Amino acid sequence: MKKKDIKILLVDDEPDILEIVGYNLSSEGYQVITGENGVEAIEKAKKHKPHLIILDVMMPKMDGVEACERIRQDSKLNNTIITFLTARGEDYSQVAGFDAGADDYITKPIKPKVLVSKVKALLRRLKETDNSSELLKIGDLIINREEYKITKKGEEILLPRKEFELLYLLATKPGKVFKREEILDKVWGNEVVVGGRTIDVHIRKLREKIGDKSFKTVKGVGYKFVD
């Protein structure tokens, strides 16, 4: 996909951020759409269907976390990559962002060139998604990557994006032990710093929704999916 075909939605209530970040992304050749609050983020995401959304957390009318959650409820935006760009660097803020369905969490201040590099790294995931198998069947579990839909014994199970990505990763190779570092790299991105308990929390939620016996903890190493 050429840069000129890639749409990036940038949402922040600070005009300077919109101007500076927007300018740098436009200079790289991307199509840049801007918004100033969470409500606009949802409206413009639905209208333009961007490949990447960059969200601030603290915004008027609706904060970025709630906006992210609502965007993730739209099946037409399942493949959209979402990252937060915010001055809120606390662990609990990052966890809230990832739980809302974000793919990355970038803290301000950040140099424009570094941000552009991070954007390029995030957009590389578009290729990885395109090259992935769309349908995965394991026992009575069917994982549809294209639609971000999961069914078990004919019953649909709704999962936030990160839980889905984690499940899909483990289920691609049942029995293989995925190390924690590999999970962080492939699901959250190797440039992202998340709380040490983030993987454990997501595994716990998957056990509740998919079944406790489907996931095995290998102490001190990581996790594996058990068929």
Side-chain angles (χ1 to χ4, degrees):
M1 186 181 296
K2 296 180 180 179
K3 284 185 177 180
K4 66 182 181 65
D5 298 321
I6 294 176
K7 291 180 284 188
I8 298 176
L9 173 59
L10 173 63
V11 187
D12 201 299
D13 63 334
E14 295 182 39
D16 288 350
I17 294 293
L18 293 180
E19 183 179 351
I20 296 169
V21 176
Y23 171 77
N24 280 274
L25 293 175
S26 296
S27 297
E28 284 292 319
Y30 301 116
Q31 296 181 45
V32 180
I33 304 129
T34 59
E36 298 179 356
N37 56 66
V39 174
E40 283 189 18
I42 297 169
E43 291 173 351
K44 294 192 175 185
K46 290 182 177 180
K47 179 180 179 180
H48 298 282
K49 295 181 177 56
H51 299 89
L52 170 67
I53 300 175
I54 302 175
L55 282 175
D56 188 15
V57 172
M58 301 301 293
M59 295 188 291
K61 295 187 180 180
M62 181 187 295
D63 65 45
V65 173
E66 184 178 351
C68 181
E69 288 177 338
R70 296 200 183 187
I71 289 168
R72 283 292 177 234
Q73 291 170 7
D74 189 335
S75 60
K76 294 179 181 178
L77 296 169
N78 276 337
N79 292 325
T80 296
I81 299 167
I82 300 177
T83 183
F84 284 103
L85 176 62
T86 174
R88 299 291 298 271
E90 307 92 344
D91 284 352
Y92 67 84
S93 293
Q94 295 189 42
V95 171
F98 287 119
D99 283 348
D103 297 282
D104 205 341
Y105 194 102
I106 303 167
T107 53
K108 301 174 186 175
I110 182 171
K111 293 180 179 179
K113 287 184 179 180
V114 177
L115 177 60
V116 169
S117 294
K118 284 181 173 286
V119 165
K120 288 178 179 177
L122 285 168
L123 290 171
R124 280 198 291 271
R125 299 182 191 179
L126 291 174
K127 272 186 193 174
E128 294 171 4
T129 301
D130 291 342
N131 294 331
S132 299
S133 174
E134 293 178 357
L135 203 64
L136 189 62
K137 297 181 181 179
I138 306 173
D140 54 13
L141 191 67
I142 300 175
I143 305 173
N144 188 324
R145 189 181 181 92
E146 185 179 52
E147 298 180 8
Y148 272 72
K149 185 164 63 175
I150 294 168
T151 56
K152 184 175 183 180
K153 295 181 179 179
E155 183 178 344
E156 186 173 343
I157 301 172
L158 298 176
L159 295 179
R161 186 184 177 98
K162 284 302 172 190
E163 289 178 33
F164 181 95
E165 294 289 354
L166 177 55
L167 170 63
Y168 187 84
L169 173 65
L170 298 179
T172 52
K173 295 182 179 179
K176 175 189 172 178
V177 178
F178 285 86
K179 295 180 179 179
R180 298 178 68 87
E181 295 80 8
E182 184 178 3
I183 293 173
L184 284 173
D185 179 37
K186 292 187 176 179
V187 177
W188 279 271
N190 56 8
E191 295 182 24
V192 182
V193 178
V194 295
R197 297 283 297 170
T198 300
I199 297 175
D200 305 328
V201 171
H202 282 70
I203 287 289
R204 175 176 58 78
K205 291 179 179 178
L206 284 175
R207 281 174 167 152
E208 292 172 355
K209 297 171 184 177
I210 305 298
D212 185 57
K213 294 181 180 178
S214 296
F215 304 91
K216 185 174 181 181
T217 304
V218 181
K219 195 171 182 181
V221 182
Y223 295 95
K224 69 178 178 178
F225 185 85
V226 182
D227 186 2

